[in-house]
Amino acid sequence: MQRPLSKVLLVGFGLSWAWKNTGQRRGISQLRGAMRLVQFQAKGSSPEPRIGLEERDGGDVVDLNAFDPSLPRTMRAFLEAGEAALAVAGRAQQSGCPSLARSEVSLLAPITGPDKVICVGMNYVDHCLEQNVKIPKEPIIFSKFSSSIVGPYDAIVHPVETNEVDWEVELAFVIGKKGKRIQESEAMAYVAGFMVAHDVSARDWQMKRNGKQWLLGKTFDTFCPLGPALVTKDSVSGSEAASPLG
């Protein structure tokens, strides 16, 4: 059985699958047209969030709100603006406009305040084996509260109520528009892009307490770090995007 790259955590409107691991190694955002969208605060300026383009992983940031002041200032509103907003970001990427030094910005979670954070548990073999549980025949779905989201460099707070904090690195799919009863062949049309996510868990609350319901063990404050960037879906080739199932 092929092991997926990661279990999938979704931010946005629900849909889920395991990402196919092709075994290829390449910079995910280096394909032509791919963008690394970030949400940030400018140090020494207004605390309001701004939308930017990270020039490369760990690189300087183009302030999209300075490039076009009409753009929304939160990632959720930016994505809700659809292709028009992405087109502006594309023009900024090609324009060579000045960027902010990385030392001048504080990166936030790429997306804050989503309607839903939908997660798929136990969907790769190694994780089932290490926990000595049966491989499920159907996906195990759980949620995290959006209040658990923090930025990529924010501290994860260890709650005093637990002695069994654990974490897993995840691939997050960001759903960019509403949908319902979506056909598999049309699924990628609803995906805006991908992020790195951490699924932090209080294993005692997840597996031993509260009737072994997962929600409380998964959703303490700071238990969902995201980022640093939302990488647009054109960061993967057409064949990979068309075949999301492992």
Side-chain angles (χ1 to χ4, degrees), residues 38 40 42 51-56 58-64 66-67 92-93 95-105:
V38 297
F40 72 96
I51 301 300
L53 276 175
E54 191 180 38
E55 293 183 335
R56 64 184 184 282
D60 295 341
V61 174
V62 174
D63 186 343
L64 290 178
F67 180 81
Q93 185 182 44
S95 70
C97 62
S99 58
L100 298 171
R102 188 62 175 264
S103 60
E104 298 176 359
V105 304

Side-chain angles (χ1 to χ4, degrees), residues 5-92:
L5 179 64
S6 169
K7 73 183 182 186
V8 176
L9 179 146
L10 291 166
V11 180
F13 303 98
L15 183 68
S16 58
W17 55 78
W19 186 250
K20 185 176 181 181
N21 182 1
T22 64
Q24 297 177 350
R25 294 178 60 86
R26 57 176 169 75
I28 191 170
S29 61
Q30 299 306 307
L31 295 182
R32 184 175 182 179
M35 293 183 287
R36 297 179 60 86
L37 296 167
V38 297
Q39 195 168 228
F40 72 96
Q41 292 172 332
K43 293 181 179 179
S45 185
S46 168
E48 293 183 355
R50 302 177 73 85
I51 301 300
L53 276 175
E54 191 180 38
E55 293 183 335
R56 64 184 184 282
D57 186 10
D60 295 341
V61 174
V62 174
D63 186 343
L64 290 178
N65 294 119
F67 180 81
D68 185 340
S70 70
L71 284 176
R73 288 178 176 263
T74 67
M75 190 69 73
R76 176 170 174 168
F78 177 87
L79 294 178
E80 287 173 344
E83 293 297 329
L86 289 170
V88 173
R91 291 196 295 272

Side-chain angles (χ1 to χ4, degrees), residues 7 142 144 166-168 170 197-201 218 223:
K7 73 183 182 186
F142 65 95
K144 284 179 175 283
D166 194 7
W167 59 272
E168 302 160 83
E170 311 292 359
H198 268 62
D199 175 19
V200 185
S201 307
K218 292 285 189 177
F223 271 24

Side-chain angles (χ1 to χ4, degrees), residues 124-168:
Y124 62 97
V125 173
D126 289 0
H127 190 43
C128 296
L129 295 178
E130 72 181 6
Q131 297 202 59
N132 195 30
V133 298
K134 293 181 179 179
I135 299 170
K137 295 181 180 180
E138 295 182 337
I140 295 175
I141 306 298
F142 65 95
S143 298
K144 284 179 175 283
F145 294 146
S146 62
S147 59
S148 66
I149 293 173
V150 291
Y153 306 112
D154 293 337
I156 297 172
V157 178
H158 191 304
V160 297
E161 294 85 359
T162 177
N163 295 314
E164 298 183 20
V165 173
D166 194 7
W167 59 272
E168 302 160 83

